[in-house]
Amino acid sequence: MDYSFLQHYWWFLICLIGGLFAFLLFVQGGQSMLFSLAKSEKERMILVNALGRKWEYTFTTLVTFGGALFASFPLFYSTSFGGAYWVWMAILLCFVIQAVSYEYQSKPGNTYGKNTYRWFLFINGLLGTFLVGAALATFFTGSDFIVNKANLADIGNPTISRWGSEWHGLEALANPRCWLLGLTVFFLARVQACLFFINRLADETLVSRSRKFLLYNSIPFVVCFLGFVIWSFIADGYAVNPDTKEVFMAPHKYLNNMIEMPVVGIVFLAGVVLVLFGIGKTLMSKEFSKGIWITGIGTVLTVCMLLLITGFNNTAYYPSATDLQSSLTIQNSSSSEFTLTVMSVVSLLVPFVLAYIFYAWNSLEKKRFKAEDLKDDGHVY
């Protein structure tokens, strides 16, 4: 295992965590429908408690994603989290109010009322998903920053990376492609939430309504997803000269990455097919309820491959639109070989953690969820 292998290995693990996070965002998608899919207090209680048994998975995966980036690619962490901090602070706030809402909405002496916390959940479902998508889109569009390691010698301001815009990341919202990916993630989360409700709820009214909402959200999801992918594939991408390490704009770079790495391209197409099949099969058959697993696997594969092509095959995964040579690659922004080696040994425990999560998930999902279960449950959200 040489240094290059370790760098690629850790970028793959981060992309895989990103794919898992995209799947688990169905919790946020369900929260965004608390006041539309549910029509009564009883139905809202069912949705909140069905989602409440899963929200910690999403939150933990987000923290793991950030921690893995910090440990394996610290220059990205300092550049993005330290420069585009308004975006990341907004995302963090959205997820913090989610945690607070689940823990306190049913506590005795709640002076704010349940609906206040449910609106917090709605905000998390709406803005949390959209902002995550918009932030990830900058991996394709570029950001406004400059990296100069000589700044470490500046005693007054020893900051390697400096952001060019006073908006500190929010300027990405001026790019239509960031909106496309933001809306894609938002509608994908809602699609998966509908599939989750169809799979897990015993309330026939909510299940029937979820099938209608599945159609309503699938159409804008497909449109936004195709728009982002096609635009990214025909646009110029941020390529790296393998010999000189110079960053330059290359026509159709991300499409070429799919072609030049056929395994990645095939897995990406397989993921897209699985997502569409899970949605289509659920819409066409009222008896079919396993769409969440088919679409979920497809989501993990699709998102993982999309993130892979931003870093593999001599590509700058976090490009600077201001100064091309400041763009971050998996080679110039990673931790030391020793650090990556030690972390790689620890990463061997990941399959055991996933096995535990799978066990815990199944333990909580032995039967379909219904309102009557709340009476026998020791913890009600």
Side-chain angles (χ1 to χ4, degrees):
M1 293 192 300
D2 60 11
Y3 195 19
S4 177
F5 172 83
L6 291 170
Q7 291 166 332
H8 284 79
Y9 171 71
W10 272 99
W11 183 247
F12 168 75
L13 283 186
I14 288 170
C15 294
L16 180 59
I17 295 171
L20 291 170
F21 176 68
F23 161 61
L24 292 170
L25 282 175
F26 72 80
V27 175
Q28 277 63 34
Q31 292 168 186
S32 72
M33 297 186 287
L34 285 179
F35 299 102
S36 53
L37 180 63
K39 304 297 184 182
S40 65
E41 174 61 22
K42 175 185 174 182
E43 291 179 345
R44 290 190 186 95
M45 282 289 293
I46 292 174
L47 296 188
V48 167
N49 281 274
L51 296 170
R53 286 154 173 75
K54 300 292 182 292
W55 77 267
E56 290 172 317
Y57 292 125
T58 311
F59 194 90
T60 303
T61 306
L62 176 63
V63 173
T64 304
F65 181 77
L69 276 172
F70 171 74
S72 54
F73 299 98
L75 187 53
F76 165 79
Y77 195 88
S78 63
T79 300
S80 182
F81 288 74
Y85 55 78
W86 285 126
V87 170
W88 294 114
M89 286 297 290
I91 292 173
L92 180 61
L93 177 62
C94 286
F95 281 86
V96 168
I97 63 175
Q98 178 203 32
V100 171
S101 298
Y102 276 117
E103 291 303 322
Y104 288 99
Q105 63 177 292
S106 296
K107 293 287 185 181
N110 175 12
T111 57
Y112 298 104
K114 287 186 177 181
N115 277 341
T116 299
Y117 289 108
R118 286 174 181 173
W119 276 106
F120 286 166
L121 293 178
F122 172 80
I123 292 172
N124 173 246
L126 174 62
L127 292 182
T129 53
F130 174 78
L131 290 175
V132 165
L136 291 179
T138 60
F139 283 33
F140 294 85
T141 63
S143 298
D144 185 10
F145 66 88
I146 295 176
V147 175
N148 185 2
K149 295 183 179 180
N151 289 339
L152 286 175
D154 185 351
I155 299 177
N157 188 17
T159 306
I160 296 178
S161 307
R162 296 179 180 175
W163 210 260
S165 168
E166 295 181 355
W167 291 93
H168 290 284
L170 291 177
E171 70 278 355
L173 297 180
N175 190 316
R177 212 179 340 165
C178 292
W179 277 82
L180 275 177
L181 189 56
L183 291 173
T184 297
V185 174
F186 170 69
F187 284 113
L188 173 62
R190 289 168 67 94
V191 164
Q192 294 188 127
C194 291
L195 293 171
F196 172 73
F197 293 146
I198 292 170
N199 179 253
R200 295 311 318 150
L201 300 185
D203 189 298
E204 292 301 324
T205 301
L206 281 174
V207 170
S208 176
R209 203 176 294 150
S210 294
R211 291 185 183 276
K212 295 179 181 178
F213 272 62
L214 175 61
L215 176 61
Y216 303 155
N217 288 280
S218 295
I219 295 174
F221 159 65
V222 172
V223 171
C224 292
F225 174 73
L226 289 177
F228 175 79
V229 170
I230 293 173
W231 191 343
S232 298
F233 281 179
I234 65 176
D236 293 345
Y238 296 83
V240 182
N241 187 309
D243 299 319
T244 65
K245 307 304 179 184
E246 177 189 7
V247 180
F248 61 96
M249 301 303 296
H252 317 308
K253 173 60 177 172
Y254 302 110
L255 175 60
N256 289 335
N257 281 356
M258 288 286 186
I259 297 173
E260 293 168 8
M261 297 185 291
V263 174
V264 174
I266 291 171
V267 173
F268 171 76
L269 290 176
V272 173
V273 171
L274 286 174
V275 170
L276 296 178
F277 178 78
I279 295 172
K281 179 70 173 177
T282 305
L283 289 173
M284 290 186 292
S285 174
K286 292 184 178 181
E287 290 75 30
F288 185 73
S289 62
K290 305 292 185 181
I292 179 62
W293 300 115
I294 298 174
T295 299
I297 294 172
T299 297
V300 174
L301 296 179
T302 302
V303 173
C304 181
M305 295 304 108
L306 272 180
L307 292 176
L308 274 182
I309 64 172
T310 64
F312 279 15
N313 199 36
N314 300 311
T315 310
Y317 71 87
Y318 197 58
S320 170
T322 305
D323 175 26
L324 286 180
Q325 305 318 311
S326 292
S327 301
L328 303 185
T329 68
I330 61 176
Q331 287 80 22
N332 68 14
S333 64
S334 69
S335 295
S336 67
E337 183 174 2
F338 174 77
T339 300
L340 294 181
T341 300
V342 173
M343 289 168 49
S344 297
V345 175
V346 176
S347 73
L348 298 177
L349 298 175
V350 170
F352 297 97
V353 176
L354 291 177
Y356 172 76
I357 293 174
F358 180 76
Y359 170 78
W361 184 297
N362 282 339
S363 298
L364 294 171
E365 301 291 355
K366 292 182 178 180
K367 60 180 181 178
R368 286 177 175 262
F369 188 81
K370 54 185 177 181
E372 288 72 15
D373 294 333
L374 299 177
K375 300 178 182 178
D376 303 323
D377 200 313
H379 184 76
V380 177
Y381 290 104

